[in-house]
Amino acid sequence: MPPTIAAKVPNTITAPPADDPPRRKRVLLLTHRFPYPPNRGDRIRSYNLMRVLAEHFDVTLACPHDEPITDEHFRHVDQICRQTITAPTGNERWLRAGGSVLRGRSLTEGLFHHAKISSEIRKLQRSRPFDAVLVFCSGMFRYIDGNDFTGTPIVVDLVDVDSMKWEQLARESRLLKRPIYAWEANRVKRLEQRIARRADAITLVSDDEANAFRGRVTTKSPIIGVSNGVDTDYFRPRPATSPGEDGSRDASGEQRDARNAVEPSDVNRERTDNEPSDPNSRLSPLETRNSASHSPLVAPRSRLIFTGVLDYPPNVEGMRWFCNDILPGLRERLDVELQIVGRRPNQVVRRLGELEGVTLIGEVPDVRPYLLGADIAVSPLKLARGIQNKVLEAMASGLPVITTSQSAEGIDAESGEQFIIADSVGEWQDSIHDLFSDAGKREGLGRQARQLVVDQYSWSARLDRIIQLLRHSSSARASR
């Protein structure tokens, strides 16, 4: 299938030339997936980058896609961008990955490369050079790593230090996989050094990630932490009404009337980390049964919630650890249930859903009722780099959150004030027990979490630094 190209034609201009507004700068945005709908962590960041970028520049989006794109989704993106270039990765991506390896590059670069997209990009650049390029993730850098983009300002949003993630996988995986992961870590590290030499500026998802990257490369370009944001209008606490009508639990832990909770039918847009590409998409029998039979608003005495993409290895391993090591001892002290909500549960997660005290909900059209029906959100990830959207979204919803140190990375909060950090089995069990024993502490933690997110984590505020980097880089190059 050839790349799909759609260009918006501006309305006819009737004002005299002297009254025309200044020409908006043209920016090429490269993302490794089609950024809509924003239903997983990387798409949430890339979608909001696209959206905020388009408020300031004329954006050309170029990306491969590994899932079908509906006409509705394409129209949504086309309303934001001046032009869109995309093509399916298909099964041939593994052949491209092999070819990338033979050429001395990483598997990652081959998986996301598509020759026809590359050809269209070069054609546009040669006919009318872009004012700047924003590359999202290291795997997309190959598209502009050539002579055609010499002299064009380039900002790369690495998000995470991918080579460190591969190194960690090499240390912690089974013996047969370790050499593969170690090999990929070395190739990606070489790619990151090439990016550091070429890019005008580099951003990552947190100051910690930026510091880690700074210690691994040699460059004079600025390396800056730019954390994720959250839509605080979309993720919000249930409106408080009269006592007993807000869905909260009383001191005994019993569920009150939850008539004011947000229902999925209230939602007309797809903006959560766990929504399917299409709210009417087919669910597996397991997911359909669980979603229908387990209302988010009818709870046992105590409810925990985890949200995330359920075939993503860090999420899977985090859930395995929580369900096997933390939950059994906790249930000896509390009548507690864990709900697991998210897309594409793999076999490991499905087996966890059969354990006592665990309910696998699976894919849902709207995650918010499940957040609002829970008492505490958990994020027990041990392998995590960069800021976790699931944590920010739960905090924005006014939920108390318990998280590991790794999953808390990049969020400027204090443990015990806006969330609670727990790293050992005992710390997790004690923290959950203590919160369930103190309704006032739960409410206070959730209230302060919400306030922190509202004050510091709106998308426009968070991404303004990238906008300024693009403006500065393009102006500096133009003045040379």
Side-chain angles (χ1 to χ4, degrees), residues 298-312:
V298 179
R301 187 172 297 268
S302 304
R303 174 174 288 172
L304 306 170
I305 188 170
F306 175 84
T307 64
V309 178
L310 300 178
D311 62 355
Y312 179 52

Side-chain angles (χ1 to χ4, degrees), residues 345-358:
N346 66 11
Q347 280 301 113
V348 173
V349 176
R350 289 172 184 267
R351 286 195 297 269
L352 294 175
E354 298 171 0
L355 297 175
E356 191 70 26
V358 179

Side-chain angles (χ1 to χ4, degrees), residues 249-254 300-305 322 326-338 356-358 375-376 378 402 425-439 442:
R249 303 174 191 273
D250 59 25
S252 69
E254 294 298 332
R301 187 172 297 268
S302 304
R303 174 174 288 172
L304 306 170
I305 188 170
F322 188 89
I326 297 169
L327 192 60
L330 182 63
R331 282 178 56 79
E332 294 176 1
R333 304 163 66 180
L334 284 171
D335 179 13
V336 63
E337 176 200 37
L338 169 68
E356 191 70 26
V358 179
D375 299 286
I376 298 171
V378 298
I402 303 178
V425 170
E427 288 173 347
W428 270 93
Q429 291 172 343
D430 289 344
S431 297
I432 293 171
H433 181 270
D434 290 348
L435 274 185
F436 276 127
S437 301
D438 190 339
R442 285 201 312 274

Side-chain angles (χ1 to χ4, degrees), residues 84 171 203 213 216 295 392 397:
T84 302
R171 290 192 301 269
T203 60
F213 187 72
R216 295 167 68 86
S295 165
L392 284 178
S397 301

Side-chain angles (χ1 to χ4, degrees), residues 405-427:
S405 298
Q406 295 93 326
S407 199
E409 180 187 329
I411 300 176
D412 188 17
E414 292 291 329
S415 182
E417 297 293 329
Q418 292 92 11
F419 57 24
I420 291 175
I421 291 178
D423 289 317
S424 69
V425 170
E427 288 173 347

